[in-house]
Amino acid sequence: MDLSYILNELAEERDDYFRAIAPPIVQSSNFAFKTVDDLRKSFEDEYSTWLYSRGLNPTVEILRKKLAALDEAEDCLVFNSGAAAIFAAVLANVKSGDHIVSVRNPYTWAQKMFDVILPRFNVTVTYVDGKEADNFTRALQSNTTVIYLETPNSWFFELQDLSAIAAIAKEKNIVTICDNSYCTPLYQKPITLGIDLVLQSATKYISGHSDTVAGVLSGSRKMMERIFNSEYLNIGSGIQPFNAWLLIRGLRTLPARLEKITKTSSEVVQFLKNHPRVEAVYYPMDPSFPQYALARKQMTGGCGLVTFILKAESCAAIETFCNSLRHILMAVSWGGYESLIIPKCAGMKPGAFDKNDPAHRSLRMYIGLEEAAYLISDLTTGFEAIASLS
Ligand SMILES: Cc1ncc(COP(=O)(O)O)c(C=O)c1O
C-alpha cells in the first residue's frame, strides 16, 4: 500500500462525517442499537461492532487501520501507553510454568514486568546478549513460549537479527514480540521479517509533539482478536478517542519529521565524533557502529537517538555539561519536536559513579526538529563549560 495513501486516505470515510477533512473525535462512551437483535449480535461479537468505547471506537478505528497498514500487519490494537501494549502482548502469550527469553536490558517497564510481576505467576525469564542470534537458541527451554526483542535496544542500541531469530522461533512454535519504538514502522518492519507481534510506544514519533501517551500492538487478525477479547477489554487499557485523533494528526507529518530528524542527527553525530571531549558515539546508521551491516540490512533510517561518551573526570563535570545547555532539554522520552538529553549518571546512586567505566560517562541525546547548527552551538556551550573546570 502506498505510504501517502495510508497517511492521507486509508479508513477515512468522509461521506460519513460531512466531508470534513479532519476526522471527528467520536467522544462517546457507548453506542445505541435499533433492535434487540442488533444488540445481541454485538454482545456475541464485540470485535465487529460499536458497543462501548473501552472496546472499539470509530476515531480509534481510523487510527488502527493506518497503523496496521504501516506495520504491514493484518490488524492492530492501540493502547493508552506503550507499556500497556507490552503488558498485553506478553500476558496473552504466557501461562503459569512458561518461560520467556528476552534480550537483556529491555525497556524498564518490560523488565519490571519480567522481574517483578511474572515471577508471581510462575513465569520465568532468561536474558541474553541479543547481538548473537545463537544466544537465543542456547537459552531456549522446553517451556519457552515467548522470545522478547527490542531492536535497536535502549541506550547503546544493540541490534538483534530479526529474520534469524524469527526463524529460530518458528521452528519451535515460539511467539516472537519486538519493541520497534526506536525505528517506527517507517524505518523497520519486523512483521515482514517474520516477527509475530510488533509494538511501539506511539508516545514517541507517532505523536511527535510530546503531548500524548499511547502504544501500538500489531500482528495477525486472530491474535489481535484474542487479545482484544481478553487483555485489552479486561485491563481497560485502550486509547481514548481524543488521543487517537492526536495520533492521526501526528501520522500526517511522520515521514517529513523523520526525514528531517535523521538528517540533523547525522550532522550532530559527525560533530560529536570529531569533538576532542567525546570518547565514542553510538548511532546505528553511522559506519563506525559495531553492527552497522545489520542496521543497513534491517533498518532503512537512523532516527534521532544518539548516545555519546563524554571525556569527564567526575559526575560533577557531566552535570556541569548538562546544566549549562540552554536549548536541549533534560527530560525522559523522545520522538517529539524538541531535543532532549539524559546523562546515565542521573540514574545512579551517589558514590556509584566510576570514571573508568565509559557507560557511567554516557549521555543519551534525542535530536528533534531544531536546526543542526542550533543544537551544535548548544552542545559547544556544554563542552566549553567543562573545559572551564580544568
Ligand atoms: C523502547 C521503549 N519501549 C516502550 C516504552 C513505553 O512506552 P510508553 O511510555 O508510551 O508507555 C518506552 C518509553 O519510554 C520505550 O522507550
Side-chain angles (χ1 to χ4, degrees):
M1 222 182 282
D2 193 87
L3 179 62
S4 300
Y5 172 74
I6 296 171
L7 301 181
N8 291 3
E9 294 165 59
L10 179 65
E12 298 185 62
E13 306 296 342
R14 296 202 170 93
D15 287 340
D16 293 349
Y17 43 81
F18 317 108
R19 302 292 304 151
I21 297 290
I25 305 165
V26 182
Q27 193 71 26
S28 183
S29 57
N30 45 357
F31 299 86
F33 294 84
K34 284 190 178 152
T35 66
V36 173
D37 195 41
D38 285 348
L39 179 60
R40 184 177 296 120
K41 282 188 186 126
S42 184
F43 285 153
E44 281 164 7
D45 180 14
E46 188 173 344
Y47 204 43
S48 305
T49 48
W50 313 126
L51 172 72
Y52 188 58
S53 283
R54 174 153 43 80
L56 300 185
N57 169 281
T59 307
V60 178
E61 196 67 7
I62 295 171
L63 178 65
R64 282 180 59 210
K65 293 208 167 115
K66 289 180 187 294
L67 290 169
L70 287 180
D71 273 325
E72 295 193 30
E74 283 173 14
D75 200 357
C76 90
L77 289 169
V78 191
F79 294 78
N80 64 12
S81 72
I86 295 172
F87 201 80
V90 174
L91 204 63
N93 288 290
V94 291
K95 59 179 184 334
S96 175
D98 284 348
H99 171 250
I100 296 170
V101 181
S102 169
V103 63
R104 72 179 177 201
N105 302 325
Y107 169 63
T108 320
W109 290 97
Q111 177 137 9
K112 287 216 170 147
M113 176 185 196
F114 294 151
D115 294 348
V116 179
I117 298 178
L118 294 184
R120 289 182 0 221
F121 301 95
N122 192 26
V123 174
T124 51
V125 181
T126 303
Y127 295 105
V128 297
D129 175 347
K131 293 197 292 298
E132 296 299 329
D134 286 349
N135 291 343
F136 289 89
T137 311
R138 278 192 278 276
L140 295 180
Q141 300 177 4
S142 55
N143 55 344
T144 306
T145 55
V146 167
I147 291 182
Y148 187 86
L149 308 168
E150 181 185 314
T151 182
N153 201 350
S154 287
W155 213 272
F156 288 107
F157 317 128
E158 292 99 340
L159 308 185
Q160 298 109 64
D161 186 332
L162 289 175
S163 38
I165 298 165
I168 293 165
K170 282 220 164 25
E171 217 177 87
K172 309 246 179 215
N173 236 356
I174 293 168
V175 173
T176 42
I177 303 173
C178 178
D179 184 333
N180 196 31
S181 302
Y182 183 103
C183 279
T184 85
L186 254 55
Y187 286 173
Q188 182 168 265
K189 294 189 188 287
I191 288 195
T192 66
L193 301 172
I195 297 297
D196 297 309
L197 287 171
V198 60
L199 64 92
Q200 61 176 316
S201 166
T203 314
K204 315 301 188 220
Y205 294 108
I206 306 291
S207 150
H209 295 77
S210 301
D211 53 14
T212 317
V213 176
V216 187
L217 177 65
S218 297
S220 68
R221 166 91 190 172
K222 197 169 151 209
M223 175 74 85
M224 289 303 114
E225 185 165 2
R226 181 158 75 74
I227 294 175
F228 174 81
N229 283 315
S230 181
E231 289 76 14
Y232 189 86
L233 282 175
N234 218 161
I235 303 170
S237 53
I239 193 168
Q240 294 297 301
F242 177 62
N243 285 359
W245 185 87
L246 285 173
L247 295 187
I248 294 169
R249 191 167 71 148
L251 280 177
R252 312 286 194 203
T253 55
L254 180 65
R257 286 186 284 110
L258 283 185
E259 199 180 316
K260 160 94 178 163
I261 286 166
T262 301
K263 183 172 171 292
T264 311
S265 297
S266 26
E267 287 174 55
V268 173
V269 164
Q270 284 318 311
F271 166 76
L272 290 171
K273 276 172 68 179
N274 292 324
H275 199 283
R277 284 256 164 210
V278 175
E279 189 171 297
V281 180
Y282 294 82
Y283 186 65
M285 288 308 236
D286 187 80
S288 66
F289 187 71
Q291 294 174 285
Y292 179 63
L294 180 57
R296 292 302 297 254
K297 189 177 126 201
Q298 64 186 22
M299 295 162 56
T300 52
C303 300
L305 283 178
V306 177
T307 292
F308 61 98
I309 313 285
L310 204 57
K311 287 183 192 161
E313 288 299 312
S314 62
C315 185
I318 298 171
E319 289 181 28
T320 299
F321 175 86
C322 294
N323 296 347
S324 64
L325 299 174
R326 282 167 308 177
H327 304 298
I328 302 166
L329 302 172
M330 230 184 306
V332 297
S333 200
W334 37 277
Y337 60 90
E338 76 293 0
S339 291
L340 305 171
I341 200 157
I342 332 182
K344 189 74 155 182
C345 62
M348 292 170 58
K349 297 222 161 35
F353 183 84
D354 174 4
K355 69 174 185 178
N356 297 316
D357 184 341
H360 290 192
R361 290 182 278 113
S362 63
L363 296 99
R364 192 191 72 185
M365 184 174 170
Y366 163 67
I367 289 143
L369 289 167
E370 303 91 335
E371 296 305 317
Y374 188 71
L375 298 175
I376 287 170
S377 138
D378 208 23
L379 289 167
T380 303
T381 308
F383 290 128
E384 284 169 1
I386 332 184
S388 69
L389 293 177
S390 43

